[in-house]
Structures are given as C-alpha cells and as structure tokens.
Amino acid sequence: MKHILIIGATGQIGSELTMELRKRYGNQNVVAGYILGAEPKGELKESGPSAIVDVTDGAMIESVVREYHIDTIYNLAALLSVVAESKPKLAWKIGIDGLWNVLEVAREQGCAVFTPSSIGSFGSSTPHTKTPQDTIQRPRTMYGVTKVTTELLSDYYFNKYGVDTRAVRFPGIISNVTPPGGGTTDYAVDIYYSAVKGEKFVCPVKEGTLMDMMYMPDALNAAIMLMEADPAKLIHRNAFNIAAMSFGPETIFQAIKKHVLEFEMVYNIDPLKQRIADSWPDSLDDTCARNEWGWKPAYDLESMTVDMLEKLRAKLK
Ligand code: SER
C-alpha cells in the first residue's frame, strides 16, 4: 500500500481509518473519498487530499485512481442493516453495483481492494455459537444479501482476474468519533453517549440478545493488518471472521454502570432490530484470521468502556 483511496471516508469507519492510514503511510498518500452532502471537515479535511468519489459512478472512481496513482482501495460505501430494509434497491445499488465499479477499476488499474463484509452476512440457519469461518450464509436482510454477494464477487475477481481482494466480517463497531447510522448494533454506541450525557438509555433490543462487537482501534488494525498480510499465507480472502467480544445489552449496561453509578436503562424493543439481531450469530470463531494473518484484538468490554467514557467525556464537555 503506497497510495490509498478510501471510499466513504466520512462515515463511521472511514473517518478514523483515513486518519490512521495517514499516520502510517503519510498524509499525502491517503485520499479521502466522499459524496456531496458528506464532505470531510476539520482534521480529516485539512490533513490530506480529498476527492468526490461516488461509488455508483465508475468513471469518477477511475479518474481519482489515475490522478492519485492509487494502488489500494478501501471501499466502505454501504447502507447499514436497518436502513437497507427500508431502501433495498439503493442498498443494492451502493453495495453491489458500486462494488462492481470498484472491482472493474481495480482490475484495469491494478489496485488491491478491501470491501468489508459483516456478521450480517449470516442468517438464522447459520450455527449461532462460535460460528465457523466456512458455514451456511442465507441471510434474509438486504444488508446480508449484499454482504454475501460482496464476498462472492470479491472472490470471483480474485480467482478470475487476480485482483487482490481481501476483507473481514466486521462485528458491530463501537466508536466515539463519527456515529454509525441505521445499524442494528448502533445501540452499543448510543448507550455510551446516554451514559455520558446523564440520560436514561432506551434499549431497542431485549436482554440476552448476544452479538459480536469490537472497539474501533481493533477494527482499524484488522483492516490494515489484513491488507499488509503476506498473500502466500492467505487461504481465505473474502471474508475473514474476526471477533473481540460478545455481549447482550444487560452486560454492556453493567460494564458502564460500574463507572457511572447513577446510569439507568429501560427496554423499548424495536421489532425490526430485534428480528435482525436474532438472526445474527451470538459469537464468531475467528481462528482462521488468527492463524492466517495473526489477528488478535487488544480491547475487551472493560478496557473499551474505560476508554469510551474518557473520550466521550472530553468530547461532550
Ligand atoms: N453494524 C452493522 C449493522 O448493525 C453490522 O455489521 O448493520
């Protein structure tokens, strides 16, 4: 990776991945790709180059790739699970037609491509505990359908054209810079904001709903480590299970309450979020990622909670 383009650089993951890549690869070598209405601001805007890159416009991607001599593309454009249910056609257009554009440019220009998959690529018929790397993937959400297709199309471009496609299946990502939007796992971010603002948290999924989650620094490391990994060691490509922690709402609530004694939570179940969450695994088996490229998370629920509360207290002061 010498010259990197992030598509979706102002989103939850993109905004932090761009800054982390600039730190490691040099500010001028990492281009923040954004769409109109989601322009980069502050440090993200000032620290390096940015360009309008609409993933649904192949010519636009190609011209930015040529202009900046891009050799690696992080394609983070997507609609998350809940919002994709209300806009399935748009979710497909961004997730799959967009991916096709990215892969075609990558094939012609010789770029490596990272397009994340998700715990959402699994469904009710998948084994829910310690979900294996290679298993049943029959999701019923449009988000899941696009993620399984992403994995297959990315593998297709690798096998047929030799495009260096690699990806992970992200769990719910917890972060404190840019909020997520329209996801099922968003509650695990929102709960920290409520705790720091002194508000009672209204939880949209019921007690005992286990899902895999991960703190942003680990997610960034995973995305970068995998793209830096020795290709000779990769048996899998699209996409690796990665895991850091698995919990239900009552467990994250207790972890926060240890530090915010007056914190309160009530439940008001959102049926769509509950249905989606119930169809996703309780915990993933990430042995292949650990063995093939040395994946290992640094944060557990307790260390993440301490850091989240500290960062959000400073941010919301
Ligand atoms: N965070 C995503 C969502 O909840 C899952 O990958 O939609």
Side-chain angles (χ1 to χ4, degrees):
M1 291 198 279
K2 289 200 179 77
H3 301 282
I4 305 165
L5 169 65
I6 324 294
I7 300 178
T10 57
Q12 185 201 10
I13 298 174
S15 57
E16 295 199 51
L17 183 63
T18 304
M19 295 309 295
E20 185 61 33
L21 286 166
R22 282 183 178 162
K23 218 188 291 167
R24 299 191 196 192
Y25 288 87
N27 286 348
Q28 291 315 311
N29 298 323
V30 181
V31 181
Y34 64 95
I35 50 167
L36 288 175
E39 289 78 6
K41 295 190 189 89
E43 216 191 347
L44 186 60
K45 179 177 176 183
E46 275 130 40
S47 61
S50 50
I52 300 178
V53 183
D54 182 340
V55 78
T56 64
D57 184 338
M60 192 184 269
I61 302 169
E62 186 180 342
S63 100
V64 173
V65 164
R66 282 177 183 276
E67 182 180 344
Y68 291 94
H69 309 288
I70 297 298
D71 56 57
T72 304
I73 303 171
Y74 281 90
N75 170 28
L76 305 179
L79 295 189
L80 290 183
S81 56
V82 176
V83 69
E85 284 308 287
S86 61
K87 299 174 187 166
K89 197 168 177 186
L90 182 62
W92 182 272
K93 187 173 170 199
I94 294 171
I96 303 308
D97 296 345
L99 173 63
W100 187 277
N101 292 335
V102 171
L103 290 170
E104 274 297 290
V105 172
R107 179 169 73 86
E108 281 160 10
Q109 305 295 323
C111 304
V113 180
F114 177 95
T115 311
S117 184
S118 159
I119 50 172
S121 69
F122 299 112
S124 301
S125 52
T126 303
H128 271 228
T129 330
K130 286 269 156 214
T131 301
Q133 172 66 37
D134 301 307
T135 186
I136 300 164
Q137 291 181 282
R138 303 287 292 178
R140 292 201 181 156
T141 61
M142 180 47 67
Y143 182 68
V145 170
T146 63
K147 288 303 179 190
V148 176
T149 311
T150 294
E151 294 187 11
L152 293 172
L153 198 56
S154 299
D155 272 344
Y156 183 84
Y157 267 73
F158 171 66
N159 290 317
K160 179 150 178 157
Y161 302 118
V163 177
D164 187 359
T165 58
R166 312 177 186 191
V168 296
R169 295 179 180 132
F170 277 134
I173 307 295
I174 295 166
S175 66
N176 50 57
V177 175
T178 308
T184 305
T185 57
D186 294 10
Y187 91 85
V189 177
D190 300 339
I191 192 170
Y192 286 103
Y193 280 83
S194 291
V196 170
K197 287 183 187 159
E199 294 166 357
K200 184 188 281 183
F201 181 62
V202 182
C203 184
V205 291
K206 64 183 185 227
E207 198 177 317
T209 306
L210 295 177
M211 284 186 280
D212 266 303
M213 304 278 180
M214 181 176 290
Y215 197 28
M216 183 64 93
D218 280 328
L220 302 180
N221 252 333
I224 298 171
M225 269 181 84
L226 176 57
M227 292 312 279
E228 287 175 342
D230 176 359
K233 300 217 169 100
L234 300 181
I235 300 162
H236 296 86
R237 277 182 168 263
N238 300 285
F240 283 93
N241 283 1
I242 52 169
M245 59 189 100
S246 163
F247 54 74
E250 68 286 2
T251 309
I252 187 173
F253 170 69
Q254 286 304 337
I256 297 172
K257 199 171 166 64
K258 255 172 57 189
H259 302 275
V260 185
L261 299 179
E262 66 287 0
F263 190 39
E264 288 180 77
M265 177 170 86
V266 291
Y267 291 93
N268 183 13
I269 307 311
D270 176 319
L272 175 59
K273 288 185 182 171
Q274 189 64 51
R275 183 167 58 77
I276 295 174
D278 287 342
S279 76
W280 289 355
D282 293 350
S283 62
L284 299 189
D285 178 347
D286 61 2
T287 310
C288 291
R290 288 174 185 262
N291 291 345
E292 291 174 41
W293 49 278
W295 158 248
K296 193 168 179 279
Y299 285 89
D300 60 11
L301 179 56
E302 174 58 21
S303 53
M304 174 178 77
T305 298
V306 169
D307 200 59
M308 275 295 284
L309 293 174
E310 190 189 311
K311 299 265 162 60
L312 284 181
R313 279 178 185 136
K315 178 176 167 172
L316 302 175
K317 203 158 57 184

